[in-house]
Amino acid sequence: MNPRRDFIQKLALSAAALPFAPLYGAPHELDVFGFSGDQSVLRVAIMGLGSYGTRVADAMQSCKRAKLAGVISGTPSKIKNWQKKYNIPEKNCYNYENYDRIKDNPDIDAVYVITPNALHHEAVLRVAAAGKHVICEKPMALNAKEGEEMVAACKKADVKLLVGYRMHFEPNTLELIRMRNEGDFGKIMFFQGLSGFRIGDPNQWRLDKALAGGGSLMDIGIYAINGARYMVGEEPVWVTAQETKTNPVKFKEGVDETIQFQLGFPGGAVASCLSTYNMNYLDRFFLNGEKGFGELQPATGYGPIKGRTHQGPLTEPHVVHQTVQMDEMAGIILDGKKAVVPVDGQEAVKDLKIIDAIYNVCRTGEKQKLEL
């Protein structure tokens, strides 16, 4: 018995359903969660009830605009546990074979896809076809081609596609972006992004190329890629990269252990970044300009995020990232709110194009131009 293989097979079942109009905002006197329709609460089903799905569900208990309304899982025991823990009605529980039926459920507005990377593409297409908004964990897909197909499917179905870029709502991160925009650092010259940790269980899905699509770059390196873009405030125009592998048994073919990569920006800034599954204590962003600097360390962990600039320490209060993320995403979906740093599917496709290019450069050894 192989639960992981069964998981893939179940999720790969194609949906026959045609796109349906989104059902959020339907009038309710009082729904099963005790929220009246005029409070404009985004009702979310979580797909994938693992450790991060649990973290998001727990964080959502403090949300004002987003509430956990349903679950999608291939493990019946997890569904039962979540029903008890979060008071989820039976009619809002689905497995990977029948979740297309959410199209007929007015109590679910959106689905948050929190599954292994290789399963995102098919899940997003099916959720979109069911007429529901989608939030997808990062990386959004295995490559830019898949990502573009996901964006197109959601556009065709007239539903929103957002990606779990929780750092885009983090207060100290946003403070550095504000300072850069106001010229406090002057002309930006350099960014450094260090993202890594020593990964444990060699049998986990993150070290399985078929499920993860790669190794450290897909999992932790994407923070440095995305961070370089929102910290510098420009889109990179070239990339170089080098891969290092010290343990080919644990990190098999196609599963990167350590990658160093460099990005060039049109304003002249350069970025030097490291992604690894073989070193701890690597969670640092450093932004250097002609008039000052900004630093975050830790930069992307669950918090608290800490930092300083040439003007002194950053003092923004710590908030649970996923709570803020889900409330802000509810505002984007329900009210058309704009994020300071985009969190839509197009933003994710840009990261995927850079990932594709980094892997290609590691193979060829040649500098590659980027067109995002």
Side-chain angles (χ1 to χ4, degrees), residues 61-113:
Q61 303 313 299
S62 301
C63 284
K64 301 295 190 295
R65 299 292 309 279
K67 293 297 171 183
L68 178 61
V71 295
I72 303 169
S73 175
T75 308
S77 61
K78 287 185 178 180
I79 293 177
K80 292 298 182 185
N81 291 339
W82 278 50
Q83 280 188 271
K84 293 177 182 177
K85 183 177 180 180
Y86 302 112
N87 192 30
I88 298 171
E90 182 70 30
K91 66 184 182 68
N92 290 355
C93 299
Y94 301 87
N95 59 45
Y96 293 113
E97 295 175 337
N98 68 13
Y99 72 84
D100 308 285
R101 297 175 189 170
I102 60 171
K103 68 180 182 292
D104 300 317
N105 191 336
D107 291 331
I108 295 175
D109 306 317
V111 174
Y112 194 161
V113 179

Side-chain angles (χ1 to χ4, degrees), residues 161-178:
L161 172 58
L162 306 182
V163 182
Y165 289 113
R166 58 187 168 84
M167 304 314 300
H168 293 197
F169 307 107
E170 196 282 316
N172 283 310
T173 301
L174 291 175
E175 175 61 9
L176 284 187
I177 292 171
R178 183 197 65 78

Side-chain angles (χ1 to χ4, degrees), residues 22-45:
L23 297 171
Y24 71 88
H28 292 347
E29 291 184 1
L30 195 68
D31 68 17
V32 294
F33 305 100
F35 295 94
S36 61
D38 60 6
Q39 285 179 282
S40 190
V41 172
L42 183 73
R43 296 157 298 177
V44 180

Side-chain angles (χ1 to χ4, degrees), residues 103 117 139-140 143 157 179 216 224 229 238 260 275 295 334 336 348:
K103 68 180 182 292
N117 304 337
M140 187 175 74
N143 51 59
M179 292 179 68
S216 69
R229 295 174 52 228
W238 59 257
Q260 298 175 75
S275 167
E295 179 184 38
L334 298 176

Side-chain angles (χ1 to χ4, degrees), residues 212-243:
S216 69
L217 190 68
M218 298 290 284
D219 182 33
I220 191 71
I222 191 171
Y223 285 98
I225 292 170
N226 191 247
R229 295 174 52 228
Y230 65 67
M231 283 294 180
V232 173
E234 296 179 346
E235 299 296 4
V237 293
W238 59 257
V239 60
T240 56
Q242 308 81 35
E243 180 178 3

Side-chain angles (χ1 to χ4, degrees), residues 8 12 21 62 66 80 155 209 257 279 295 317 320 342 344 348 368:
I8 298 173
S62 301
K80 292 298 182 185
K155 182 177 181 180
K209 186 179 187 300
E257 174 189 321
M279 288 176 258
E295 179 184 38
V320 176
D344 55 67
Q368 182 169 322

